Amino acid sequence: MAKGLLPRAWVKRSFYFQARISFMRVKYLFLTWLTVLVSSWVVYVQYSAYTELCRGHECKNAICEKYRRGVIDGSACSSLCDKGTLYFGRCLSSLPNNQVYTGSWGDHSGVIRCQLGEAARYDLSDEPEPRREAPAFDQPSKGTSVEKFREMVFSLLKSKLGEQVNLSGLVSQILSVTDGNKDGRVSLPEARSTWAVLQRDEVLLGLVLQERGHTPRLLGFCGDLYMTDRVPYGPLYGFALPWPLVSWVPGSLQRTMDQWFTPSWPRKAKISMGLLELVEDVFHGTYGSFLMCDLAAVHFGYTDRHELRLTDTQVLVPEDEFRRNMRALRCETDADCVYGADCQTSCDLSEKRCGEQPLRPNLAKACRTLKDYLLRGAPSGMSEELERQLFACMALRGNSRQLDMEHSLILNNLKALLWRQISHTKDS
């Protein structure tokens, strides 16, 4: 009897074991299929995003087609379209219409930027990029003299920068850049390229600040495609977390992590002095005053010699333009009177209009950006004084009756304090 039960129990166990193996096979087959499906979807989405964002070949083809037809010309056209010595490298674009690539041109490495017309969109974002048409390159028109073109450039600069005594000098500088082949004359295609690239505010503001070394140098352009020097180190501090981790890492920890990957303190002090000098130069500069409406670290970088560079001049706005824009805004509270990321004025409740005077000057915002950057690792003998000066700087208000004097005093004191600490080091 016992012998008869043994085979039956063994059969039951064998059947149970085989059924379990079959179930596990089906389970793993399903998981494998699901993994392949999800991976394929991720690859498809990434490829679609890449092909939408990275359209450098379209940009080059459109520019070179206009160049070969004689519509445009410029210092970079021959290298880009004929000689093939200006190369597109890695795609950095974040918007389909604004193409950004690393590039190389002979011995120079840099960043290439180009404007494109509307691209087909595949994403379902709530705020799609505004539609832009491809540039027509029809200005100045045929028959325009060099003097007339000079007047056009002067009027454009005046509309952007306001009435400034030194505009004629800036016009002459721009005309010298316009002569791309250095033959001593400005051709109509060269003028059209210059006019197109000057419509991009970041180029115009870059030229304004270039002589002081605050922005990457303009290497050349063709149409509205242009190339600037590459800034080897950026952002000023911090790093971008992978997107799955962003929502899981607390903000306070992110700010602490940002300070882990920074140069030695004397080098940070030298970089910080560069930012203070930039603030000084745009406060009452050669071509008027500018407001810095986003001082996030991502908009700044530095060179191998630890010299600060403003990598995104779109954060600058001429003061005259700022005042015009704010006058046109209606408001209920001060929160309605914001320009860019952090340029704010007060709301006149009696007239329901925004005021023209910014509440916080550039220097106060710069000190806020530098506070954690400079205080971490500061020499013990000066950290207390440095902290005191930084907080005094952050307390500056744009409506102060003695703003010019306070601005100058705080700025000079900060620069002197930093210089005393690094003047005897090799980093100075």
Side-chain angles (χ1 to χ4, degrees), residues 112-274:
I112 301 171
R113 290 180 170 85
C114 178
Q115 200 81 25
L116 274 176
E118 180 71 2
R121 298 190 61 86
Y122 303 99
D123 65 278
L124 300 176
S125 59
D126 294 331
E127 297 182 2
E129 185 187 8
R131 181 183 179 91
R132 293 189 181 97
E133 300 298 333
F137 302 117
D138 55 357
Q139 293 294 324
S141 58
K142 192 173 182 179
T144 301
S145 65
V146 174
E147 284 306 312
K148 177 61 178 175
F149 180 61
R150 179 186 290 271
E151 293 174 10
M152 289 173 62
V153 174
F154 184 88
S155 297
L156 175 66
L157 297 180
K158 185 177 177 181
S159 68
K160 297 285 187 181
L161 306 177
E163 191 75 57
Q164 307 295 334
V165 296
N166 298 307
L167 285 186
S168 296
L170 183 57
V171 171
S172 298
Q173 178 188 339
I174 290 172
L175 287 180
S176 68
V177 173
T178 301
D179 182 14
N181 57 10
K182 304 303 177 186
D183 63 354
R185 67 184 188 88
V186 175
S187 67
L188 181 61
E190 287 174 333
R192 283 174 171 165
S193 275
T194 301
W195 186 255
V197 83
L198 286 178
Q199 306 309 306
R200 304 190 64 164
D201 288 346
E202 70 269 23
V203 177
L204 177 57
L205 295 173
L207 287 171
V208 167
L209 295 173
Q210 185 172 285
E211 63 184 63
R212 298 286 294 171
H214 296 307
T215 57
R217 184 166 52 99
L218 179 66
L219 298 176
F221 57 91
C222 182
D224 65 346
L225 177 149
Y226 67 96
M227 181 172 177
T228 58
D229 271 330
R230 185 177 71 90
V231 178
Y233 301 101
L236 183 61
Y237 57 80
F239 64 99
L241 286 172
W243 65 266
L245 300 179
V246 171
S247 58
W248 294 93
V249 179
S252 57
L253 178 58
Q254 286 190 40
R255 287 191 293 272
T256 301
M257 292 168 63
D258 280 345
Q259 302 299 329
W260 291 351
F261 302 93
T262 56
S264 63
W265 192 88
R267 291 174 174 173
K268 288 195 293 185
K270 182 177 180 181
I271 295 167
S272 300
M273 285 187 65

Side-chain angles (χ1 to χ4, degrees), residues 342-354:
D342 57 11
C343 283
Q344 185 175 15
T345 66
S346 58
C347 177
D348 186 338
L349 296 178
S350 62
E351 297 185 6
K352 302 292 184 181
R353 290 277 181 185
C354 291

